[in-house]
Every structure is written in structure tokens, then in C-alpha cells.
Amino acid sequence: MYESTDICVSHPQHYMSSNGLECIDVINAATEELTGMDAVCTAQVIKYIWRWKKKNGVQDLEKAMWYLKYIIDRYKGEPTDFVKEN
């Protein structure tokens, strides 16, 4: 596994819990039986919820909500286009 000497690359504080648990380990466990966009979107939701208080605040919560809504829309059979029409 690649390990950088720069802690901001390999183990940024906004992805570490106070007891040493890393977000990447949680994502790995939560997505091990998922594939494709299910895995990607689930990982993104976890990532943004995990770090919101330490990094970008409400913006990260909104990003998590965007990915969660994307998953919901996919499973409801609703359009999930990334491009907005003007």
C-alpha cells in the first residue's frame, strides 16, 4: 500500500476519529458487497457525513444529501442525470 510521508495525504485528520478509526476503513466495510454506482455513492455519503464537522460544514452535508438522493432516485426509477437543462 502506498504511504506518503505527508500525513495530509495518507491520514488527514478530517478522516480520523478520536479513537483512531479511519473513514476509508469504514467505507471499505460498508461497500464490500456493493458494485458500481451503488458503491461509489454509498462511499461518498459516508465520506461527507464523516468529515463535515472537521472540513466543510454544511457544504459537506449537502454533498452527502446529493449522493443519497442520487441513490434513492436510481432505485425509484427516477431520472438521475448529472447535467441540468437551462
Side-chain angles (χ1 to χ4, degrees):
M1 171 192 230
Y2 172 75
E3 192 71 29
S4 174
T5 57
D6 183 349
I7 196 162
C8 292
V9 173
S10 292
H11 304 284
Q13 287 302 305
H14 55 272
Y15 290 125
M16 298 289 293
S17 71
S18 59
N19 67 356
L21 188 61
E22 281 196 77
C23 183
I24 197 165
D25 297 322
V26 173
I27 289 171
N28 189 40
T31 61
E32 68 184 356
E33 295 182 11
L34 301 177
T35 60
M37 289 304 289
D38 290 347
V40 170
C41 291
T42 300
Q44 293 291 51
V45 170
I46 293 167
K47 174 181 80 172
Y48 289 122
I49 292 295
W50 187 278
R51 74 180 203 185
W52 78 275
K53 278 200 158 192
K54 294 181 179 179
K55 192 159 186 203
N56 295 322
V58 172
Q59 183 184 56
D60 278 348
L61 293 174
E62 290 173 336
K63 288 177 183 180
M65 187 169 59
W66 189 94
Y67 281 100
L68 185 56
K69 179 75 169 109
Y70 182 91
I71 296 169
I72 292 168
D73 288 350
R74 279 188 69 215
Y75 279 89
K76 288 173 113 179
E78 297 177 6
T80 57
D81 296 336
F82 285 105
V83 181
K84 289 184 180 181
E85 294 184 23
N86 293 331

